[in-house]
Amino acid sequence: MKKNTYYNFSAGPATLPLTVLQQAQAEMLNWHDTGFSIMEIGHRTELFQQLLTEIKNDLRQLVNIPSHYHVLFFAGGANTQFSAVPMNLLGDKQHADYFNTGVWSVLAMQEAKKYCQVNDVTTAVPNACYAIPDKTTWQFDPRAAYVHYTSNETITGVQFHQIPDVGSVPLVADMTSCFLSQPIDISQFGLIYAAAQKNFGQAGVTLIIVRDDVLSQALAITPATLDYQLQIKNNSCLNTPPTYAIYILGLMLQWLKQQGGLSAMEKINRRKAAKLYAAIDASDFYHNQVNPTDRSIMNVTFTLPDENLTKQFLHIAQQAGLYQLRGHKKLGGIRASIYNAMPEAGVDTLLAVMKNFERS
Ligand SMILES: *Cc1c(COP(=O)(O)O)cnc(C)c1O
């Protein structure tokens, strides 16, 4: 099977642009005329340090990151940041606010509870996993060191389309499944973290963007590798960083630039999602449970009338070259993850399969 003859709707690790994979392949045995693979080059060499600097500069330019924000590359995925965030941001405080809008929020809260008292901002609206609870119901704890939210809940397909206003308390966002899908005003945030394998790279590296002034002395129990201030001092190289994943992230940034940057990506991403939701809404056969104004532009979930039809649909889709459309095991149904690297033609093919299947 050739990469350009099928579409991969995996929620993560997710599809990468063909040209990025081809460039990685072409450079695999001889990176920048070194005679070595990028995998075989020391992280403290001038060569790799230069690459890190270039990637950081590309990112700063692409996202427009103000100079009082640090950019860090961590191993350990987004789940590791569920612990690193409280350990680095609590300082003398013992409380933190969390929006609970789905599975990833809950996992972040569970980890945070090991280090502090967690207040569920959205507790007034139980099971808020198919809609972002209305502002008027939010309950903040005045003692909170920070407010955490999950910008896009990857499993249900619920997304904040506005940055929540939390006043002067630092806002922390898990943007793992939506970072770099659209322009973003970094200055609204104290800290953003995003594992790369959904929307801008491969598994292994997590990007952190953190404002200078939100960093407290890390808790005494903080592992050195998870101490943001130590990692800032060491340019993310306190220990060996995930060098190959960082390299692929760098290629993705160049690809995003070639696509016209984040405004151009947003237009395409919105158009892809709008087409799918319009088809679902126009049909009595497919159903999406998410509040229309809170629907994700990255993960489009829908159900068919029964499990048997869902199985048949997945089978027919695969025959048409559409892969990994099965919904998360907790939800069932279908999930089309349509991140940056999913071509619009993939969505158009999916729409055609949906129409034909409904008719038959
Ligand atoms: C996938 C995902 C995670 C988990 O990422 P890991 O790198 O596997 O730890 C966390 N949050 C969100 C929003 C995700 O989509």
Side-chain angles (χ1 to χ4, degrees):
M1 192 165 58
K2 279 210 178 115
K3 165 97 179 153
N4 53 2
T5 60
Y6 67 92
Y7 297 105
N8 172 6
F9 290 87
S10 169
T15 193
L16 287 166
L18 180 62
T19 53
V20 164
L21 293 173
Q22 282 170 333
Q23 187 176 346
Q25 182 183 40
E27 295 179 340
M28 173 65 86
L29 301 184
N30 182 7
W31 180 69
H32 286 196
D33 274 332
T34 53
F36 298 107
S37 168
I38 180 71
M39 286 185 210
E40 306 171 302
I41 290 168
H43 56 293
R44 301 194 197 283
T45 58
E46 206 174 303
L47 276 171
F48 188 78
Q49 289 296 316
Q50 242 167 32
L51 176 67
L52 256 190
T53 305
E54 274 166 30
I55 292 174
K56 280 208 248 185
N57 288 343
D58 282 350
L59 187 74
R60 283 189 180 277
Q61 208 185 15
L62 186 72
V63 192
N64 201 7
I65 302 176
S67 60
H68 59 301
Y69 283 78
H70 303 279
V71 174
L72 293 167
F73 304 95
F74 271 49
N79 275 266
T80 301
Q81 298 308 312
F82 295 165
S83 323
V85 164
M87 287 194 285
N88 282 278
L89 265 49
L90 281 169
D92 302 335
K93 300 198 169 169
Q94 270 127 38
H95 297 83
D97 279 332
Y98 278 72
F99 280 89
N100 178 356
T101 53
V103 173
W104 292 115
S105 303
V106 169
L107 288 170
M109 290 164 86
Q110 273 173 12
E111 265 322 285
K113 279 176 188 162
K114 296 176 181 172
Y115 309 99
C116 64
Q117 292 204 35
V118 167
N119 169 50
D120 180 350
V121 175
T122 42
T123 193
V125 185
N127 301 322
C129 60
Y130 290 110
I132 304 297
D134 190 77
K135 273 192 202 85
T136 55
T137 66
W138 299 351
Q139 287 167 8
F140 296 105
D141 182 339
R143 297 164 297 182
Y146 61 89
V147 183
H148 179 282
Y149 81 113
T150 309
S151 319
N152 181 64
E153 283 284 0
T154 321
I155 292 173
T156 41
V158 171
Q159 187 167 11
F160 279 83
H161 290 295
Q162 259 158 14
I163 299 170
D165 179 5
V166 299
S168 60
V169 182
L171 181 62
V172 176
D174 175 359
M175 293 203 182
T176 295
S177 51
C178 59
F179 190 63
L180 302 184
S181 64
Q182 57 185 53
I184 172 166
D185 178 4
I186 298 288
S187 72
Q188 302 288 311
F189 295 89
L191 188 148
I192 292 168
Y193 61 94
Q197 71 271 19
K198 312 277 165 82
N199 211 25
F200 58 100
Q202 64 159 84
V205 63
T206 301
L207 188 72
I208 291 143
I209 299 171
V210 58
R211 202 174 66 214
D212 240 343
D213 64 281
V214 305
L215 294 169
S216 309
Q217 183 74 37
L219 301 185
I221 55 164
T222 309
T225 50
L226 298 188
D227 184 322
Y228 294 146
Q229 275 165 326
L230 263 183
Q231 287 285 18
I232 289 167
K233 265 190 215 131
N234 288 277
N235 195 24
S236 303
C237 290
L238 185 73
N239 67 325
T240 317
T243 54
Y244 195 76
I246 291 172
Y247 157 76
I248 294 287
L249 192 164
L251 296 187
M252 272 304 287
L253 296 180
Q254 283 168 29
W255 181 82
L256 286 166
K257 263 202 237 170
Q258 286 157 15
Q259 308 309 302
L262 299 187
S263 308
M265 284 321 301
E266 177 174 23
K267 275 199 200 108
I268 302 167
N269 286 329
R270 286 197 183 280
R271 200 163 59 219
K272 288 187 297 191
K275 280 183 186 179
L276 280 172
Y277 288 121
I280 292 165
D281 288 344
S283 126
D284 293 327
F285 186 70
Y286 303 109
H287 180 62
N288 168 280
Q289 302 192 59
V290 180
N291 184 28
T293 55
D294 305 323
R295 287 169 166 177
S296 169
I297 62 165
M298 297 275 96
N299 311 95
V300 177
T301 55
F302 59 91
T303 52
L304 284 75
D306 64 50
E307 182 53 30
N308 197 23
L309 284 166
T310 307
K311 273 199 192 127
Q312 281 178 40
F313 179 86
L314 287 167
H315 181 71
I316 300 241
Q318 196 153 320
Q319 282 177 334
L322 309 179
Y323 285 80
Q324 308 209 54
L325 278 163
R326 186 185 292 282
H328 190 275
K329 59 182 188 297
K330 285 190 178 155
L331 279 192
I334 305 292
R335 172 171 53 172
S337 295
I338 52 172
Y339 303 121
N340 282 335
M342 172 55 65
E344 194 160 354
V347 171
D348 292 338
T349 310
L350 174 58
L351 285 166
V353 167
M354 286 168 70
K355 270 207 187 103
N356 281 336
F357 190 75
E358 183 176 1
R359 217 178 292 139
S360 69

